Amino acid sequence: MTNLRSLSARAQKRPLWRVSGQQKKGFSTSSRRYSYADTVPNLKIGAHTKVLFQGFTGRQATANVQESLAWGTKIVGGVKPGTEGEHLGLPVFPSAQEKAKPDASAIYVPGNQTAKAIEEAIEAEIPLIVAVAEHVPIHDLLRIHSILNTQSKTRLVGANCPGIISAIGKCRIGFQPLPCFSPGKIGIVAKSGTLSYESVASTTRAGLGQSLCISMGGDVLAGTNFVDALKIFENDPDTEGIVLVGEIGGTAEIDAAEWIKDYNRRTTNPKPIMALVGGLHAPPGRIMGHAGAWTAVGEPDAESKYQALERAGAVMVNHPEKFGEGMKNLLNSRTRDRNAMPTSAPNQKRGLHTMRRVSVAKTQDMFPSKQTRSLFIKQFQALDMLKEKSISVQEASPSGSDIFLTLTIDRTALSPCIIASSVADFAPSKTSRFPFAYSATGISSGEGPIIRSIASHLQLPESTHKNLAELVQALWQIFKEKEAYLLEVRVNPSAEGSLEVRGARFGFDDAAFRSSGRQEEVHRLRNPAEEVQEEVEAEKDGIVYVKLQGEGSIGTLVNGAGLAMNTVDALTIHGGHCANFLDTGGKATSETVKSSFRIITSDTRVKAIFVNIFGGLTRCDMIAEGIIMAFRDLKMSVPVVVRLRGTNEEAGQKMIAESGLPLHAFDSFEGAAKKVISLAGGKPSN
């Protein structure tokens, strides 16, 4: 496979990985300068790809292997630690380093075991690792990325993603719903699983099919990003058009926009690119289902991402069902342009109007409202943690001389990062980012380069450097010891050169507790009685529910965080007013549907409910049965509009239509949106 020499600016030599003061060798044996970016070509899977399964004998892996084998994927066996034998007629190996010599490994173990399995596959120098589990602790992944960045053999896809699939090569590494896929010409890269399935189904219905579909995943730290995928699609002869599905959180979409702008500038008749960004109407400061679906200080919001992609030349849509016909039109135009032998790269927009522009409020404070799927402690608790580290603390109101420090995660550098700003709104001109290695030990020194750089940016006198180093070191200790992902402090420098912390907001990774049983003492600081009770009740059933403010009259019930964000966006764009965001999870069941209805109808504002389900892992007829049963059991009177797409969609739609209940079945989003808006007493936009 051709080596892509220009894949990344991170091609410099990386330091060796250090753990607990012990030096561990880098995993690559190459003597040349190496880079994780060298592994991007490993994403081009196909009929040749030999796949190993880690967690091979588990229930989910077994079912997945059986489906994938029947589809045509070349699976060579699996791993069960310490065991040799046979499963499904394939060999079982005691470790990933034994015998099989695979091209890829599918990791099917729980979130608390995922990092260990990934490390084992890296040590075996397996070219591609696909990690599907969610709730992998963030600090486990920070450690994994510190390892990945020392080598040039292994590429990671995930975690928290459906995987990667070649429809042409019949190679599935993940749990994507196979009935949606057909061999074809569209490359798809997405953060959201359900939105990627919708995109696949749309291109299948349009007769275009797919070449390669890559999931970026919904975690804070992604092993493969949009630019990595775009580079593969650019050089892939099977890919003629590209679909990109983004959402709030991080800067990956902005990086993709810069790449697209450069690609269009340097390419005659470039491949058409279409895109969608979820979370245009997500409330500021909330985590919207995916662990990475939140906007940190200094990060662009969804509207900024939308505008950047549009300016770069991507055709923007408001719903994934528009990708199929839209891409067909763009490909036809590209063929005409090619036949006309253009002298410069064409404008891809070509008048395809797909989205009514809506102004989105940009209200992001330093300390925004509480989030879910994480743990934010109270300010006094955060200040107490700093006092325990001998940091000078005095809670006080903001003043014009305050400076602001945040220790968080840089999603591009895939490492910890200090953000320093002289203004509360973190205006770009007043803000700088200082990423550093997760294994770094020198950030506390007053003479260290990071401390000097932060002090220089904030224009702090040399007399403050020692206190600044002590504060940064205290934040770093709390970050690692208690598995934080966001530590924000408001600091006031005195005329004598001291630094006093006046305000703080600390956020911790709840996956460390939920999946791994770590950080129980931090988790005990949570007081659910002070939270929104509907959100707490939903959490008990594995449902992510966010109560939206305002005049919301439409309740939403959706399977998948990305699809749930897009549903709120699209209904709002059509003139509706949503009362909530609700993600049942990728595997909606009759019980989760029933619990969801109960929570939604407890909101007296709700006049109609919109159920938007893509039946991928779960069949539409099973979902329809669950909706009908829940409707009857709860004796509901609120009208419900149901849009079912995916596996067995016709059977599910028929069951809804023939139920005799006030349920309205649709397959088209446009039709369903107009119906639910009118039932809720609104007037759909044209």
Side-chain angles (χ1 to χ4, degrees):
M1 187 174 291
T2 303
N3 182 27
L4 306 180
R5 295 182 184 276
S6 61
L7 290 176
S8 174
R10 292 182 295 173
Q12 70 246 20
K13 184 89 170 178
R14 294 287 178 177
L16 298 180
W17 174 50
R18 296 178 183 272
V19 178
S20 302
Q22 299 297 315
Q23 183 168 295
K24 185 167 181 173
K25 69 177 182 178
F27 287 102
S28 173
T29 58
S30 171
S31 61
R32 68 174 179 85
R33 297 176 71 183
Y34 54 84
S35 168
Y36 178 58
D38 293 339
T39 65
V40 167
N42 301 355
L43 294 167
K44 189 64 173 80
I45 63 171
H48 65 281
T49 305
K50 295 183 294 182
V51 182
L52 181 78
F53 271 69
Q54 290 174 257
F56 186 40
T57 59
R59 180 175 58 84
Q60 289 186 330
T62 297
N64 186 273
V65 168
Q66 290 171 324
E67 286 182 353
S68 298
L69 281 171
W71 198 56
T73 304
K74 188 180 293 184
I75 298 173
V76 295
V79 173
K80 184 177 182 181
T83 302
E84 285 192 84
E86 189 177 280
H87 182 59
L88 301 178
L90 296 168
V92 176
F93 304 104
S95 79
Q97 301 182 59
E98 305 291 333
K99 301 177 185 177
K101 305 297 182 186
D103 301 303
S105 176
I107 293 182
Y108 270 73
V109 300
N112 63 332
Q113 301 172 31
T114 293
K116 182 179 179 181
I118 292 173
E119 185 173 350
E120 183 179 313
I122 296 171
E123 289 176 338
E125 295 191 338
I126 297 174
L128 181 65
I129 302 170
V130 178
V132 301
E134 61 177 335
H135 305 305
V136 181
I138 289 175
H139 282 249
D140 287 2
L141 288 173
L142 278 167
R143 182 175 60 81
I144 287 298
H145 282 288
S146 73
I147 299 171
L148 286 169
N149 282 335
T150 69
Q151 55 83 58
S152 60
K153 301 291 186 182
T154 300
R155 158 75 36 178
L156 173 65
V157 171
N160 188 14
C161 77
I164 180 171
I165 183 168
S166 168
I168 292 175
K170 299 292 184 181
C171 180
R172 177 176 79 158
I173 312 175
F175 54 78
Q176 306 89 338
L178 292 173
C180 304
F181 289 82
S182 63
K185 60 185 73 172
I186 307 303
I188 298 174
V189 57
K191 282 184 175 178
S192 162
T194 45
L195 283 178
S196 73
Y197 308 154
E198 283 263 25
S199 304
V200 166
S202 179
T203 53
T204 293
R205 287 193 297 270
L208 299 174
Q210 307 82 40
S211 52
L212 183 66
C213 300
I214 301 171
S215 178
M216 183 173 164
D219 267 9
V220 175
L221 294 158
T224 292
N225 60 37
F226 288 134
V227 172
D228 297 330
L230 289 168
K231 288 171 179 172
I232 288 292
F233 295 149
E234 176 189 6
N235 296 288
D236 180 20
D238 296 323
T239 298
E240 297 181 23
I242 300 169
V243 165
L244 183 152
V245 181
E247 62 186 34
I248 57 171
T251 62
E253 294 82 359
I254 302 295
D255 297 336
E258 289 300 312
W259 186 93
I260 292 168
K261 188 187 303 179
D262 177 68
Y263 170 64
N264 286 336
R265 186 166 48 237
R266 61 183 163 77
T267 307
T268 299
N269 201 23
K271 299 176 182 181
I273 300 173
M274 299 184 72
L276 178 152
V277 176
L280 290 166
H281 295 273
R286 299 302 304 266
I287 291 180
M288 305 304 287
H290 289 152
W294 54 279
T295 302
V297 292
E299 289 182 347
D301 59 14
E303 177 72 6
S304 299
K305 295 180 178 188
Y306 177 99
Q307 292 174 355
L309 287 164
E310 186 175 53
R311 285 194 302 267
V315 175
M316 305 304 294
V317 301
N318 64 7
H319 196 275
E321 72 179 6
K322 296 182 178 179
F323 281 133
E325 291 303 316
M327 186 60 75
K328 185 185 290 186
N329 292 335
L330 292 176
L331 289 173
N332 289 339
S333 296
R334 183 172 187 251
T335 300
R336 291 195 297 271
D337 290 342
R338 186 189 296 119
N339 292 338
M341 299 185 65
T343 57
S344 62
N347 180 352
Q348 291 186 32
K349 295 181 184 178
R350 296 188 176 92
L352 179 64
H353 180 73
T354 55
M355 181 169 184
R356 179 173 65 88
R357 299 310 303 275
V358 177
S359 61
V360 180
K362 293 179 173 63
T363 55
Q364 184 178 328
D365 302 324
M366 178 192 176
F367 302 154
S369 58
K370 64 184 178 301
Q371 302 184 205
T372 55
R373 283 205 158 176
S374 64
L375 173 63
F376 274 81
I377 61 175
K378 293 183 175 63
Q379 177 165 273
F380 79 86
Q381 295 168 328
L383 295 176
D384 284 345
M385 287 185 182
L386 289 169
K387 288 178 185 176
E388 291 174 4
K389 300 294 183 183
S390 301
I391 298 299
S392 177
V393 168
Q394 180 62 53
E395 189 172 348
S397 300
S399 76
S401 59
D402 288 342
I403 59 175
F404 303 87
L405 292 174
T406 298
L407 203 169
T408 185
I409 296 167
D410 189 307
R411 305 193 201 197
T412 300
L414 302 171
S415 72
C417 173
I418 296 170
I419 305 173
S421 183
S422 57
V423 292
D425 64 356
F426 286 79
S429 62
K430 303 290 186 180
T431 304
S432 287
R433 304 173 71 89
F434 304 92
F436 58 93
Y438 185 67
S439 55
T441 57
I443 63 171
S444 62
S445 171
E447 301 300 319
I450 289 182
I451 299 301
R452 290 197 300 271
S453 297
I454 295 170
S456 175
H457 171 72
L458 295 173
Q459 299 182 344
L460 294 173
E462 189 171 346
S463 59
T464 65
H465 288 200
K466 182 176 183 295
N467 282 346
L468 177 63
E470 291 171 351
L471 174 58
V472 170
Q473 175 65 2
L475 291 173
W476 176 234
Q477 289 174 353
I478 294 168
F479 188 82
K480 289 195 76 171
E481 291 168 3
K482 300 187 182 299
E483 298 190 63
Y485 72 89
L486 186 69
L487 303 179
E488 299 175 333
V489 291
R490 177 169 51 84
V491 182
N492 189 264
S494 72
E496 297 76 29
S498 64
L499 298 176
E500 186 175 73
V501 175
R502 299 284 184 85
R505 180 173 183 263
F506 288 1
F508 300 90
D509 176 26
D510 72 343
F513 175 74
R514 294 179 184 279
S515 70
S516 300
R518 305 193 298 253
Q519 310 301 338
E520 182 179 358
E521 72 285 355
V522 175
H523 200 77
R524 281 201 300 264
L525 297 175
R526 179 185 180 189
N527 185 1
E530 297 178 347
E531 301 175 20
V532 178
Q533 288 308 297
E534 298 98 319
E535 297 180 5
V536 174
E537 288 301 312
E539 186 181 323
K540 293 176 183 177
D541 293 312
I543 298 163
V544 181
Y545 176 89
V546 177
K547 189 172 184 178
L548 303 178
Q549 301 302 310
E551 55 181 308
S553 56
I554 301 173
T556 64
L557 191 165
V558 189
N559 65 327
L563 187 59
M565 273 189 283
N566 177 246
T567 299
V568 172
D569 290 344
L571 285 172
T572 304
I573 289 163
H574 280 81
H577 302 282
C578 295
N580 68 279
F581 161 102
L582 189 149
D583 169 23
T584 66
K587 297 180 179 179
T589 66
S590 58
E591 285 304 310
T592 57
V593 168
K594 187 174 180 178
S595 296
S596 299
F597 276 145
R598 184 184 300 111
I599 293 164
I600 292 168
T601 54
S602 69
D603 187 341
T604 57
R605 297 175 299 164
V606 172
K607 308 303 180 190
I609 298 174
F610 184 65
V611 179
N612 191 18
I613 298 288
F614 189 89
L617 305 176
T618 306
R619 301 195 319 267
C620 286
D621 52 341
M622 291 179 62
I623 292 295
E625 183 178 4
I627 292 170
I628 293 168
M629 290 175 58
F631 198 95
R632 287 173 173 161
D633 290 349
L634 296 174
K635 297 180 173 57
M636 289 172 53
S637 58
V638 176
V640 177
V641 173
V642 182
R643 176 182 175 266
L644 292 175
R645 276 293 199 187
T647 310
N648 291 2
E649 61 182 54
E650 291 183 1
Q653 292 161 8
K654 183 179 180 182
M655 291 172 64
I656 295 293
E658 296 177 353
S659 67
L661 300 171
L663 302 171
H664 308 269
F666 288 83
D667 57 6
S668 160
F669 184 88
E670 296 278 347
K674 290 178 180 178
K675 182 66 174 178
V676 76
I677 291 169
S678 65
L679 288 171
K683 185 177 180 181
S685 62
N686 295 324

